[in-house]
Amino acid sequence: MKSHHPQPLSRVSVNMARHHEVLISLRRIIRATDMYSRHLSKVAGLTAPQLLVMQSIAQRGEMAMGQIADEVSLSQATITTILDRLEKRELIVRLRGSTDKRRVYARLTADGMALLEKAPTPLQEEFIDRFAELDDWEQSLIVSSLQRVAAMMNAGDIDASPVLDLGAMDRAQPTVELSERRARQSEAAAPAPPYPEATRK
Amino acid sequence: MKSHHPQPLSRVSVNMARHHEVLISLRRIIRATDMYSRHLSKVAGLTAPQLLVMQSIAQRGEMAMGQIADEVSLSQATITTILDRLEKRELIVRLRGSTDKRRVYARLTADGMALLEKAPTPLQEEFIDRFAELDDWEQSLIVSSLQRVAAMMNAGDIDASPVLDLGAMDRAQPTVELSERRARQSEAAAPAPPYPEATRK
DNA sequence: AGATATTGCTTTGACATCTAACATTTCGAA
DNA sequence: TTCGAAATGTTAGATGTCAAAGCAATATCT
């Protein structure tokens, strides 16, 4: 901000407007997300969180409740209810851990995989298209901003990056760390452990 | 796409990672928002949407369901259920329009105003503080990005600004148009029409 | 070993949300 | 004027969401 104009009086009101803008935008984004989820439900038979969860499971072949929760940023309780519905529709099965019987693993059924194949992305196609059309720097800017907001809202969860790192935008790395960093119990992050320990419930 | 580095092969994967990052960040933001709402509920007795709605009403003195819905970006049905709860707790009252009997206006009660006085902001204090500490240009960048994302997700709702307008960041205007633009029935946007037509239900 | 703490998941209870179907009212046109 | 279309709200039904309380199993400490 070159700010040749100190804006002596409007300072406060401008700031108010600023974070109010943030609030408004967030509300809209949340709403759009919700509405797209319902749209997905109509055309694909899966809501966004259901799709997210299934993709997560598909990626690893088999996952425990807690792992899924971490990966999709939802509480375990929520994962339970989502899986309840998916299980009822026989899109996934639950398997009780054999060595550690507290754990419950979820696995896709054939039906589940089939449905997942045909399902759209969990993010509006429209958004993806438009996003893809942006210049690299714009995309980076947006991603950085969102991460920044997420970090600022997540209180204690910040572990660095106190400033928007503009220089990073040219390094154009896939930036997977954020997701990885989330995997608390880690499990050594094996690409896709075929079939861990687990037996039919 | 200027991209000094063509990144011949990683192009696709980078893009995937990019919008996937968006998805992850959004999930986190949504979650943080939700969790803060619950926190609010504990400490202030009002959830975020309840607070939003009440502030909205307080600002104008009296508002119809539809107006509120537009202002806080929620469906009318949602407003109805939120107001049901607020009314049950006697924080607001509903008034039927006298000239147009289809309309229903909401007004704060003394209790409602009192509670609203003591309530925190609908956005995490922490977020606001940290946000306020950022440089002007950073704030603008974030606000612009969020608005951009919201616009890209809202499909048909775009009415211009096909490119992130960096130049705008220097003009530092309060930027209220977005909220205004939403007010479809407009009502001529009177600052605070004392007490429109409405009688006790 | 035995008691206690911790971990992993499910249940319960309360909100928030949306769409679709209704009920009322108002408005416009024939 | 009368009738159908449009506008405004509410109801019904389905998900999603989380915190807190429960349960069961494992880990840890003495």
Side-chain angles (χ1 to χ4, degrees):
Chain A
M1 180 84 179
K2 59 178 179 182
S3 71
H4 299 299
H5 329 286
Q7 318 170 303
L9 286 177
S10 52
R11 244 254 151 281
V12 174
S13 70
V14 165
N15 270 337
M16 281 198 68
R18 278 273 177 70
H19 74 240
H20 189 250
E21 286 296 317
V22 169
L23 184 57
I24 302 267
S25 294
L26 289 183
R27 281 274 138 206
R28 297 225 178 113
I29 290 173
I30 290 173
R31 184 163 205 232
T33 296
D34 191 9
M35 276 163 46
Y36 178 64
S37 176
R38 285 166 211 273
H39 169 69
L40 260 188
S41 180
K42 292 291 169 208
V43 308
L46 287 176
T47 64
Q50 287 171 349
L51 180 54
L52 260 289
V53 167
M54 287 187 64
Q55 286 184 333
S56 204
I57 297 172
Q59 210 170 18
R60 308 276 193 103
E62 195 168 74
M63 281 184 89
M65 307 291 102
Q67 288 181 302
I68 302 176
D70 281 348
E71 195 141 314
V72 301
S73 276
L74 289 175
S75 76
Q76 226 163 324
T78 302
I79 298 300
T80 293
T81 72
I82 289 176
L83 286 189
D84 281 348
R85 276 185 258 274
L86 294 179
E87 189 176 34
K88 198 169 301 168
R89 290 171 57 188
E90 303 189 11
L91 298 177
I92 62 108
V93 281
R94 276 163 146 109
L95 308 156
R96 186 118 238 158
S98 53
T99 70
D100 185 339
K101 290 180 205 131
R102 286 171 303 183
R103 281 169 177 269
V104 174
Y105 294 86
R107 189 186 296 177
L108 296 187
T109 62
D111 281 4
M113 290 193 237
L115 187 54
L116 190 52
E117 289 293 316
K118 296 194 294 255
T121 64
L123 206 51
Q124 288 91 319
E125 312 268 358
E126 263 201 308
F127 175 84
I128 295 181
D129 292 345
R130 295 200 212 170
F131 185 74
E133 282 171 16
L134 299 182
D135 285 343
D136 244 39
W137 65 272
E138 285 182 299
Q139 294 185 6
S140 296
L141 216 48
I142 288 177
V143 171
S144 292
S145 296
L146 290 178
Q147 292 178 339
R148 201 118 167 59
V149 170
M152 289 195 289
M153 294 182 100
N154 267 30
D157 234 51
I158 24 84
D159 50 6
S161 62
V163 173
L164 221 181
D165 183 1
L166 285 173
M169 299 201 298
D170 242 319
R171 297 200 279 284
Q173 285 300 302
T175 335
V176 236
E177 342 80 79
L178 263 178
S179 341
E180 301 300 50
R181 197 192 305 153
R182 236 46 178 82
R184 302 193 177 157
Q185 21 271 102
S186 63
E187 300 284 338
Y195 290 108
E197 44 99 22
T199 54
R200 209 79 195 215
K201 183 165 71 173
Chain B
M1 290 298 195
K2 60 175 180 183
S3 61
H4 301 297
H5 325 289
Q7 322 169 300
L9 286 178
S10 51
R11 243 262 151 276
V12 173
S13 70
V14 166
N15 269 337
M16 282 199 68
R18 279 271 179 72
H19 73 241
H20 188 250
E21 286 297 317
V22 170
L23 184 57
I24 301 268
S25 295
L26 289 183
R27 283 272 139 206
R28 297 222 178 113
I29 290 172
I30 291 173
R31 182 161 208 235
T33 297
D34 192 7
M35 276 163 47
Y36 179 63
S37 176
R38 286 166 211 272
H39 168 70
L40 260 188
S41 180
K42 294 289 169 209
V43 309
L46 287 175
T47 64
Q50 287 172 351
L51 180 54
L52 259 295
V53 166
M54 287 186 64
Q55 287 184 333
S56 204
I57 297 171
Q59 211 171 18
R60 310 276 194 103
E62 195 168 75
M63 280 185 89
M65 308 289 101
Q67 288 181 302
I68 301 177
D70 281 348
E71 196 142 313
V72 300
S73 276
L74 289 174
S75 75
Q76 227 161 352
T78 301
I79 298 301
T80 293
T81 72
I82 289 175
L83 286 189
D84 282 348
R85 276 184 259 273
L86 293 179
E87 188 176 34
K88 198 169 302 167
R89 290 172 57 190
E90 302 188 12
L91 298 176
I92 62 109
V93 281
R94 278 198 239 246
L95 309 155
R96 187 117 238 159
S98 53
T99 70
D100 184 339
K101 290 181 204 127
R102 287 171 304 183
R103 282 170 177 267
V104 174
Y105 295 86
R107 190 186 297 177
L108 295 187
T109 62
D111 281 4
M113 290 193 239
L115 186 54
L116 189 53
E117 288 292 316
K118 295 195 295 258
T121 64
L123 206 49
Q124 288 91 321
E125 312 269 358
E126 263 202 306
F127 175 85
I128 295 180
D129 291 346
R130 296 202 211 169
F131 185 74
E133 283 170 14
L134 299 181
D135 285 343
D136 246 37
W137 66 272
E138 285 183 293
Q139 294 184 7
S140 297
L141 215 48
I142 289 176
V143 171
S144 292
S145 296
L146 289 177
Q147 291 179 339
R148 201 117 168 59
V149 170
M152 289 196 288
M153 293 181 100
N154 267 29
D157 234 51
I158 23 84
D159 50 6
S161 63
V163 172
L164 220 182
D165 184 2
L166 285 172
M169 298 201 298
D170 243 318
R171 298 198 278 281
Q173 284 303 301
T175 335
V176 235
E177 342 79 81
L178 262 177
S179 342
E180 300 300 50
R181 197 191 304 152
R182 234 50 177 83
R184 297 180 181 171
Q185 23 270 105
S186 65
E187 300 285 338
Y195 289 109
E197 46 98 21
T199 54
R200 207 81 195 210
K201 182 163 74 173

PDB file of all heavy atoms in Angstrom, chain A residues 138-158:
ATOM      1  N   GLU A 138      -2.248 -15.443 -10.127  1.00  0.00           N
ATOM      2  CA  GLU A 138      -3.561 -15.205  -9.525  1.00  0.00           C
ATOM      3  C   GLU A 138      -3.997 -16.417  -8.714  1.00  0.00           C
ATOM      4  O   GLU A 138      -4.533 -16.297  -7.625  1.00  0.00           O
ATOM      5  CB  GLU A 138      -4.595 -14.925 -10.611  1.00  0.00           C
ATOM      6  CG  GLU A 138      -4.465 -13.541 -11.217  1.00  0.00           C
ATOM      7  CD  GLU A 138      -5.542 -13.282 -12.250  1.00  0.00           C
ATOM      8  OE1 GLU A 138      -5.587 -14.020 -13.249  1.00  0.00           O
ATOM      9  OE2 GLU A 138      -6.341 -12.373 -12.045  1.00  0.00           O
ATOM     10  N   GLN A 139      -3.752 -17.560  -9.292  1.00  0.00           N
ATOM     11  CA  GLN A 139      -4.105 -18.784  -8.579  1.00  0.00           C
ATOM     12  C   GLN A 139      -3.343 -18.850  -7.258  1.00  0.00           C
ATOM     13  O   GLN A 139      -3.917 -19.137  -6.215  1.00  0.00           O
ATOM     14  CB  GLN A 139      -3.753 -20.008  -9.425  1.00  0.00           C
ATOM     15  CG  GLN A 139      -4.582 -20.121 -10.685  1.00  0.00           C
ATOM     16  CD  GLN A 139      -4.286 -21.406 -11.447  1.00  0.00           C
ATOM     17  OE1 GLN A 139      -3.547 -22.263 -10.976  1.00  0.00           O
ATOM     18  NE2 GLN A 139      -4.870 -21.543 -12.620  1.00  0.00           N
ATOM     19  N   SER A 140      -2.077 -18.559  -7.336  1.00  0.00           N
ATOM     20  CA  SER A 140      -1.253 -18.615  -6.121  1.00  0.00           C
ATOM     21  C   SER A 140      -1.758 -17.630  -5.085  1.00  0.00           C
ATOM     22  O   SER A 140      -1.802 -17.921  -3.888  1.00  0.00           O
ATOM     23  CB  SER A 140       0.196 -18.279  -6.452  1.00  0.00           C
ATOM     24  OG  SER A 140       0.724 -19.240  -7.315  1.00  0.00           O
ATOM     25  N   LEU A 141      -2.120 -16.478  -5.570  1.00  0.00           N
ATOM     26  CA  LEU A 141      -2.597 -15.437  -4.686  1.00  0.00           C
ATOM     27  C   LEU A 141      -3.838 -15.907  -3.943  1.00  0.00           C
ATOM     28  O   LEU A 141      -3.973 -15.741  -2.730  1.00  0.00           O
ATOM     29  CB  LEU A 141      -2.943 -14.215  -5.530  1.00  0.00           C
ATOM     30  CG  LEU A 141      -2.669 -12.847  -4.953  1.00  0.00           C
ATOM     31  CD1 LEU A 141      -1.270 -12.799  -4.388  1.00  0.00           C
ATOM     32  CD2 LEU A 141      -2.853 -11.804  -6.045  1.00  0.00           C
ATOM     33  N   ILE A 142      -4.726 -16.494  -4.678  1.00  0.00           N
ATOM     34  CA  ILE A 142      -5.965 -16.963  -4.076  1.00  0.00           C
ATOM     35  C   ILE A 142      -5.721 -18.097  -3.087  1.00  0.00           C
ATOM     36  O   ILE A 142      -6.228 -18.078  -1.966  1.00  0.00           O
ATOM     37  CB  ILE A 142      -6.946 -17.402  -5.183  1.00  0.00           C
ATOM     38  CG1 ILE A 142      -7.466 -16.152  -5.902  1.00  0.00           C
ATOM     39  CG2 ILE A 142      -8.088 -18.216  -4.603  1.00  0.00           C
ATOM     40  CD1 ILE A 142      -8.379 -16.419  -7.070  1.00  0.00           C
ATOM     41  N   VAL A 143      -4.922 -19.044  -3.513  1.00  0.00           N
ATOM     42  CA  VAL A 143      -4.627 -20.157  -2.608  1.00  0.00           C
ATOM     43  C   VAL A 143      -3.959 -19.643  -1.338  1.00  0.00           C
ATOM     44  O   VAL A 143      -4.329 -20.014  -0.226  1.00  0.00           O
ATOM     45  CB  VAL A 143      -3.722 -21.202  -3.298  1.00  0.00           C
ATOM     46  CG1 VAL A 143      -3.246 -22.233  -2.286  1.00  0.00           C
ATOM     47  CG2 VAL A 143      -4.484 -21.883  -4.423  1.00  0.00           C
ATOM     48  N   SER A 144      -2.996 -18.771  -1.515  1.00  0.00           N
ATOM     49  CA  SER A 144      -2.301 -18.220  -0.349  1.00  0.00           C
ATOM     50  C   SER A 144      -3.262 -17.497   0.578  1.00  0.00           C
ATOM     51  O   SER A 144      -3.221 -17.658   1.792  1.00  0.00           O
ATOM     52  CB  SER A 144      -1.224 -17.220  -0.777  1.00  0.00           C
ATOM     53  OG  SER A 144      -0.187 -17.878  -1.443  1.00  0.00           O
ATOM     54  N   SER A 145      -4.122 -16.724  -0.003  1.00  0.00           N
ATOM     55  CA  SER A 145      -5.070 -15.975   0.810  1.00  0.00           C
ATOM     56  C   SER A 145      -5.980 -16.895   1.600  1.00  0.00           C
ATOM     57  O   SER A 145      -6.226 -16.690   2.786  1.00  0.00           O
ATOM     58  CB  SER A 145      -5.914 -15.065  -0.081  1.00  0.00           C
ATOM     59  OG  SER A 145      -5.106 -14.104  -0.706  1.00  0.00           O
ATOM     60  N   LEU A 146      -6.471 -17.920   0.924  1.00  0.00           N
ATOM     61  CA  LEU A 146      -7.364 -18.842   1.614  1.00  0.00           C
ATOM     62  C   LEU A 146      -6.630 -19.557   2.743  1.00  0.00           C
ATOM     63  O   LEU A 146      -7.162 -19.708   3.848  1.00  0.00           O
ATOM     64  CB  LEU A 146      -7.920 -19.874   0.631  1.00  0.00           C
ATOM     65  CG  LEU A 146      -8.920 -19.337  -0.386  1.00  0.00           C
ATOM     66  CD1 LEU A 146      -9.357 -20.426  -1.341  1.00  0.00           C
ATOM     67  CD2 LEU A 146     -10.135 -18.765   0.335  1.00  0.00           C
ATOM     68  N   GLN A 147      -5.422 -19.958   2.466  1.00  0.00           N
ATOM     69  CA  GLN A 147      -4.662 -20.649   3.505  1.00  0.00           C
ATOM     70  C   GLN A 147      -4.409 -19.703   4.668  1.00  0.00           C
ATOM     71  O   GLN A 147      -4.445 -20.098   5.830  1.00  0.00           O
ATOM     72  CB  GLN A 147      -3.341 -21.155   2.928  1.00  0.00           C
ATOM     73  CG  GLN A 147      -3.561 -22.267   1.921  1.00  0.00           C
ATOM     74  CD  GLN A 147      -2.262 -22.763   1.298  1.00  0.00           C
ATOM     75  OE1 GLN A 147      -1.248 -22.068   1.298  1.00  0.00           O
ATOM     76  NE2 GLN A 147      -2.298 -23.972   0.757  1.00  0.00           N
ATOM     77  N   ARG A 148      -4.169 -18.490   4.317  1.00  0.00           N
ATOM     78  CA  ARG A 148      -3.904 -17.500   5.333  1.00  0.00           C
ATOM     79  C   ARG A 148      -5.126 -17.304   6.220  1.00  0.00           C
ATOM     80  O   ARG A 148      -5.035 -17.269   7.440  1.00  0.00           O
ATOM     81  CB  ARG A 148      -3.589 -16.191   4.615  1.00  0.00           C
ATOM     82  CG  ARG A 148      -2.842 -15.209   5.382  1.00  0.00           C
ATOM     83  CD  ARG A 148      -1.497 -14.938   4.711  1.00  0.00           C
ATOM     84  NE  ARG A 148      -0.906 -13.745   5.315  1.00  0.00           N
ATOM     85  CZ  ARG A 148      -0.652 -13.685   6.599  1.00  0.00           C
ATOM     86  NH1 ARG A 148      -0.890 -14.718   7.379  1.00  0.00           N
ATOM     87  NH2 ARG A 148      -0.142 -12.576   7.105  1.00  0.00           N
ATOM     88  N   VAL A 149      -6.261 -17.164   5.591  1.00  0.00           N
ATOM     89  CA  VAL A 149      -7.493 -16.993   6.348  1.00  0.00           C
ATOM     90  C   VAL A 149      -7.745 -18.218   7.226  1.00  0.00           C
ATOM     91  O   VAL A 149      -8.049 -18.100   8.409  1.00  0.00           O
ATOM     92  CB  VAL A 149      -8.702 -16.786   5.403  1.00  0.00           C
ATOM     93  CG1 VAL A 149     -10.006 -16.846   6.176  1.00  0.00           C
ATOM     94  CG2 VAL A 149      -8.564 -15.449   4.700  1.00  0.00           C
ATOM     95  N   ALA A 150      -7.580 -19.375   6.634  1.00  0.00           N
ATOM     96  CA  ALA A 150      -7.797 -20.606   7.391  1.00  0.00           C
ATOM     97  C   ALA A 150      -6.874 -20.628   8.597  1.00  0.00           C
ATOM     98  O   ALA A 150      -7.296 -20.942   9.709  1.00  0.00           O
ATOM     99  CB  ALA A 150      -7.547 -21.817   6.505  1.00  0.00           C
ATOM    100  N   ALA A 151      -5.634 -20.257   8.388  1.00  0.00           N
ATOM    101  CA  ALA A 151      -4.660 -20.264   9.476  1.00  0.00           C
ATOM    102  C   ALA A 151      -5.045 -19.257  10.552  1.00  0.00           C
ATOM    103  O   ALA A 151      -4.997 -19.549  11.742  1.00  0.00           O
ATOM    104  CB  ALA A 151      -3.275 -19.947   8.933  1.00  0.00           C
ATOM    105  N   MET A 152      -5.455 -18.083  10.132  1.00  0.00           N
ATOM    106  CA  MET A 152      -5.817 -17.049  11.103  1.00  0.00           C
ATOM    107  C   MET A 152      -7.050 -17.436  11.913  1.00  0.00           C
ATOM    108  O   MET A 152      -7.233 -16.999  13.029  1.00  0.00           O
ATOM    109  CB  MET A 152      -6.057 -15.718  10.397  1.00  0.00           C
ATOM    110  CG  MET A 152      -4.781 -15.091   9.868  1.00  0.00           C
ATOM    111  SD  MET A 152      -4.979 -13.333   9.431  1.00  0.00           S
ATOM    112  CE  MET A 152      -5.974 -13.438   7.983  1.00  0.00           C
ATOM    113  N   MET A 153      -7.882 -18.245  11.317  1.00  0.00           N
ATOM    114  CA  MET A 153      -9.093 -18.640  12.034  1.00  0.00           C
ATOM    115  C   MET A 153      -8.863 -19.843  12.927  1.00  0.00           C
ATOM    116  O   MET A 153      -9.589 -20.053  13.891  1.00  0.00           O
ATOM    117  CB  MET A 153     -10.188 -18.975  11.030  1.00  0.00           C
ATOM    118  CG  MET A 153     -10.639 -17.775  10.231  1.00  0.00           C
ATOM    119  SD  MET A 153     -11.975 -18.208   9.116  1.00  0.00           S
ATOM    120  CE  MET A 153     -13.363 -17.597  10.059  1.00  0.00           C
ATOM    121  N   ASN A 154      -7.869 -20.612  12.570  1.00  0.00           N
ATOM    122  CA  ASN A 154      -7.640 -21.830  13.338  1.00  0.00           C
ATOM    123  C   ASN A 154      -6.806 -21.655  14.597  1.00  0.00           C
ATOM    124  O   ASN A 154      -6.225 -22.604  15.084  1.00  0.00           O
ATOM    125  CB  ASN A 154      -7.020 -22.892  12.439  1.00  0.00           C
ATOM    126  CG  ASN A 154      -8.080 -23.768  11.836  1.00  0.00           C
ATOM    127  OD1 ASN A 154      -9.207 -23.324  11.615  1.00  0.00           O
ATOM    128  ND2 ASN A 154      -7.751 -25.007  11.598  1.00  0.00           N
ATOM    129  N   ALA A 155      -6.765 -20.466  15.079  1.00  0.00           N
ATOM    130  CA  ALA A 155      -6.095 -20.194  16.348  1.00  0.00           C
ATOM    131  C   ALA A 155      -4.731 -20.846  16.499  1.00  0.00           C
ATOM    132  O   ALA A 155      -3.808 -20.530  15.768  1.00  0.00           O
ATOM    133  CB  ALA A 155      -7.004 -20.625  17.479  1.00  0.00           C
ATOM    134  N   GLY A 156      -4.623 -21.733  17.463  1.00  0.00           N
ATOM    135  CA  GLY A 156      -3.345 -22.345  17.784  1.00  0.00           C
ATOM    136  C   GLY A 156      -2.686 -23.134  16.674  1.00  0.00           C
ATOM    137  O   GLY A 156      -1.511 -23.471  16.761  1.00  0.00           O
ATOM    138  N   ASP A 157      -3.414 -23.397  15.651  1.00  0.00           N
ATOM    139  CA  ASP A 157      -2.890 -24.270  14.612  1.00  0.00           C
ATOM    140  C   ASP A 157      -1.833 -23.692  13.688  1.00  0.00           C
ATOM    141  O   ASP A 157      -1.389 -24.354  12.764  1.00  0.00           O
ATOM    142  CB  ASP A 157      -4.043 -24.795  13.767  1.00  0.00           C
ATOM    143  CG  ASP A 157      -4.008 -26.309  13.696  1.00  0.00           C
ATOM    144  OD1 ASP A 157      -3.914 -26.925  14.764  1.00  0.00           O
ATOM    145  OD2 ASP A 157      -4.031 -26.853  12.585  1.00  0.00           O
ATOM    146  N   ILE A 158      -1.442 -22.473  13.918  1.00  0.00           N
ATOM    147  CA  ILE A 158      -0.455 -21.882  13.023  1.00  0.00           C
ATOM    148  C   ILE A 158       0.951 -22.338  13.385  1.00  0.00           C
ATOM    149  O   ILE A 158       1.333 -22.363  14.530  1.00  0.00           O
ATOM    150  CB  ILE A 158      -0.466 -20.345  13.078  1.00  0.00           C
ATOM    151  CG1 ILE A 158      -1.041 -19.888  14.406  1.00  0.00           C
ATOM    152  CG2 ILE A 158      -1.215 -19.757  11.928  1.00  0.00           C
ATOM    153  CD1 ILE A 158      -0.141 -19.829  15.545  1.00  0.00           C
TER     154      ILE A 158
END
